[in-house]
Amino acid sequence: HGHLGNYPQQKFLLERALALKESEFGVGHINTAVALRNLAESHGHAGEYKLQLRLLQQALDIFRREFGAEHVDIAITLGNLSVAYGNIGNYRCQMSLAQESLALKEQTLGPEDVRVAAALRNLANAHASLGQYEEQRKLAERSLIITQKAFGESHVTVAVALANLASAR
């Protein structure tokens, strides 16, 4: 429903999924944290950024408690938090979280993983928010190289990376 722009229905379904996971696994379970993160993204698409931030922080707390400091789910959630802070105009926090997410993804996944490319795009956007366009361009180029290696030249994800590089000033 989200890709169709039906965010109220998407939120309804994700809230239902969260309730079921909380009932089945408990409020502090990893599956519940994933449901919280999914619901948070839906709220972000609807422009409900404060609620998005709260849900993402809950998910992050669960992931850290269950996994410790170094896990890809923590890195993903940090990246999502970074975007959410950028959406509310807190660009310093956006930058810090994007850097932390990238470092953790590189550490847990390796520097050439396609999920690292996504973190590079997020960090590039954070630099753009602060007017740091040369750094934005460098990160966008690195993201494009990783994405092309992973998917080839004709994949839609390469188009995203190309668009991100094109937006670098």
Side-chain angles (χ1 to χ4, degrees), residues 18 21-23 25-30 32-33 36 58 62 65:
L18 174 61
K21 287 188 177 186
E22 285 177 337
S23 175
F25 301 110
V27 295
H29 194 274
I30 294 163
T32 301
L36 284 165
Q58 283 180 266
I62 294 168
R65 187 179 64 251

Side-chain angles (χ1 to χ4, degrees), residues 79-152:
N80 293 352
L81 274 166
S82 169
V83 171
Y85 275 106
N87 287 337
I88 63 169
N90 188 338
Y91 303 126
R92 295 282 175 206
C93 199
Q94 175 190 19
M95 175 71 73
S96 176
L97 290 165
Q99 289 169 330
E100 189 177 353
S101 174
L102 174 60
L104 189 51
K105 281 186 178 181
E106 287 178 324
Q107 180 180 346
T108 58
L109 301 169
E112 299 298 315
D113 189 277
V114 72
R115 291 166 289 182
V116 169
L120 286 163
R121 286 192 298 274
N122 283 346
L123 184 55
N125 291 336
H127 279 284
S129 296
L130 293 171
Q132 300 167 349
Y133 302 117
E134 183 59 27
E135 192 61 28
Q136 175 196 17
R137 183 192 57 74
K138 289 177 189 175
L139 292 165
E141 286 176 348
R142 183 172 162 218
S143 173
L144 176 61
I145 291 167
I146 293 169
T147 304
Q148 287 173 324
K149 283 181 187 175
F151 294 112

Side-chain angles (χ1 to χ4, degrees), residues 3-81:
H3 291 293
L4 300 173
N6 188 349
Y7 298 119
Q9 181 66 13
Q10 180 190 38
K11 284 191 298 186
F12 170 77
L13 294 171
L14 290 171
E15 286 168 353
R16 191 166 162 218
L18 174 61
L20 290 169
K21 287 188 177 186
E22 285 177 337
S23 175
E24 179 69 23
F25 301 110
V27 295
H29 194 274
I30 294 163
N31 288 332
T32 301
V34 171
L36 284 165
R37 190 172 62 201
N38 292 339
L39 180 57
E41 289 308 296
S42 180
H43 283 287
H45 291 303
E48 299 165 343
Y49 302 124
K50 290 186 190 247
L51 183 52
Q52 179 189 24
L53 286 167
R54 185 174 58 78
L55 294 171
L56 286 170
Q57 190 59 57
Q58 283 180 266
L60 181 63
D61 292 345
I62 294 168
F63 287 134
R64 283 185 168 154
R65 187 179 64 251
E66 295 299 314
F67 292 133
E70 299 173 7
H71 192 274
V72 68
D73 275 311
I74 293 169
I76 291 166
T77 308
L78 288 169
N80 293 352
L81 274 166

